[in-house]
Every structure is written in C-alpha cells, then in structure tokens.
Amino acid sequence: RADAFDDAKFPTDAATVVLMNPPFPHKASDTPPEAFVDRAMLGLKQRGRAAVVLPSSLLGASKKAAWRKAVLKDNTLHAVITLPGELFQPYAAATTAIIVLEKGVPHRADHEVVFCRLTEDGFRLRKGVRLPRPGSQIDAVLAAVRKKTNTPGFSAAAPLVGDDWAPGIYIEAKP
C-alpha cells in the first residue's frame, strides 16, 4: 500500500516471480509502463522472471528501441505473446502483449524468443460483457512457449531482429 517508485521499503533483489499489468498512461505526464518494468526488474532476484502486460506500442516503436536495448543488456527476453484485441473491453481498447523476462542474464544474439499470437482466450464480448465460449488457445500458447514451436499464423521461435520485439515480423503468415 505504497508507491513502488517512492517507498524506501520497496524490496530489491527479493522476488522470484513478478506478474504485472501496469497502468497505461493517458497523458504525457503519466508514468510510462516501461518504468514499471524497470522497477519490477529491480525487485527480482537474480534469474527471477517477470511476465508483464504491456501496450503493443512498446514492442516495435522506434522511439522505444533504446529502452528495449537497455532491458536486454542485463536480462533475457523469453517470450512475447500478443493478446486478443477485445481483452480489456469494454474498459479499454488497448492492443496488448505479455513479455516474459529473466533478470540478470544478458540476452544472447542467438537466443530464440518465442512469439505467439493469442486470438482466442475462451471469452467473447457481448453487450459490453465478456462471456465464456469454447475455443481457448491458452493451452496451445503455453505449449508453444515450452516447446518453441513454429506454427504459421500462431507462433515462432527465433532470435531477435535488431531491437524489434513485435511478433508480426517473426510469425510466418498462414498459407
């Protein structure tokens, strides 16, 4: 019940896992989501893992390339999973993805990152409410991340191309 950016009691090098959905800024003065990622990485122990929901704009925008490069200097990116467009509806229309990072292991140029495009999470939007429906791809995403599979239109395992984390350049199109 404190501000993680200002509280002197914020634990550093303490957690083994961070699961986080930071707030997305609504104006230029709001704290950017990458600041929350940086702070979470401080809280992790060496080799701890973070799974963070971020706006897709952080994954490939050139103005965020320096931040992505800085993150990989000391940490490894293991996965990037895009989320369904209506996931946060009716509250927000943000395009989002989950990134999975490991603290304290510099990202190797030959390390294969798993990219997945989750389009079906087992819910649908109806009159402003998300209702259950069959067809969730969540188990398939988890399997693709574990096995590093390449499935056109769905998943790919590949080394990063420059500083770009956007799944669209890694996942082969469906035939």
Side-chain angles (χ1 to χ4, degrees):
R1 297 186 181 265
D3 185 333
F5 297 106
D6 297 330
D7 191 340
K9 295 179 188 174
F10 179 84
T12 57
D13 300 318
T16 55
V17 174
V18 169
L19 301 173
M20 183 171 55
N21 181 7
F24 297 172
H26 295 287
K27 52 190 172 202
S29 62
D30 287 347
T31 304
E34 58 269 30
F36 287 89
V37 175
D38 295 342
R39 191 66 167 154
M41 298 311 284
L42 289 174
L44 281 171
K45 290 181 180 181
Q46 183 76 0
R47 307 227 45 169
R49 297 236 177 162
V52 185
V53 177
L54 293 174
S56 296
S57 60
L58 279 178
L59 305 178
S62 59
K63 66 182 180 179
K64 300 296 183 177
W67 173 78
R68 291 189 301 273
K69 186 175 183 175
V71 167
L72 298 182
K73 182 177 175 245
D74 297 316
N75 308 292
T76 296
L77 180 65
H78 287 291
V80 178
I81 304 158
T82 61
L83 299 172
E86 67 179 30
L87 184 67
F88 294 104
Q89 298 274 342
Y91 307 106
T95 317
T96 57
I98 298 170
I99 63 166
V100 179
L101 293 164
E102 181 178 4
K103 179 183 178 174
V105 179
H107 192 92
R108 294 184 339 265
D110 65 343
H111 175 74
E112 287 191 334
V113 178
V114 179
F115 298 89
C116 287
R117 189 177 287 137
L118 177 66
T119 57
E120 299 295 335
D121 65 348
F123 291 88
R124 66 182 171 94
L125 185 64
R126 184 162 184 245
K127 295 185 179 180
V129 177
R130 290 186 35 87
L131 301 171
R133 75 169 168 200
S136 172
Q137 297 172 311
I138 292 173
D139 288 340
V141 166
L142 295 173
V145 170
R146 277 193 306 271
K147 297 176 184 176
K148 294 189 172 190
T149 59
N150 291 292
T151 305
F154 181 68
S155 67
L160 290 175
V161 175
D163 299 319
D164 204 324
W165 300 2
I169 68 168
Y170 301 96
I171 299 173
E172 185 181 328
K174 285 184 183 179

